[in-house]
Amino acid sequence: MLYTAAIMVCLVDEPRNYDTCQIINAHFKYQSEQQCWDAINGQVKYQGNNMLQVGYELVDAKCISWLEKNESL
């Protein structure tokens, strides 16, 4: 499989909409869902306090699968 990671953060105590939320995309691709979640968890751990200091909170995170693994190879 091919996975990408995305994290959604929104301004604290504001309605969640296009203007108050941001999507942080990974600039990498991952070969497994576990690698993708490890990257998300590492990013949240690294950025968690910084996000709160600038007024954002973590709202959602996803690992998105794009391709099926070719079992014949």
Side-chain angles (χ1 to χ4, degrees):
M1 297 291 279
L2 172 66
Y3 292 89
T4 57
I7 299 169
M8 184 168 81
V9 296
C10 297
L11 290 172
V12 176
D13 297 328
E14 294 290 334
R16 293 181 182 158
N17 59 46
Y18 182 86
D19 294 321
T20 62
C21 296
Q22 301 293 328
I23 303 295
I24 303 168
N25 293 313
H27 298 284
F28 300 101
K29 58 185 178 180
Y30 304 97
Q31 293 182 5
S32 72
E33 189 173 12
Q34 184 63 50
Q35 287 176 333
C36 180
W37 281 111
D38 289 345
I40 285 175
N41 291 331
Q43 186 68 18
V44 168
K45 184 178 177 181
Y46 177 73
Q47 291 288 342
N49 289 333
N50 291 337
M51 284 188 286
L52 286 174
Q53 288 176 353
V54 296
Y56 282 90
E57 63 182 338
L58 174 69
V59 174
D60 200 359
K62 293 182 181 186
C63 284
I64 302 148
S65 62
W66 293 96
L67 298 171
E68 294 293 325
K69 187 173 185 178
N70 188 346
E71 299 296 335
S72 64
L73 292 178

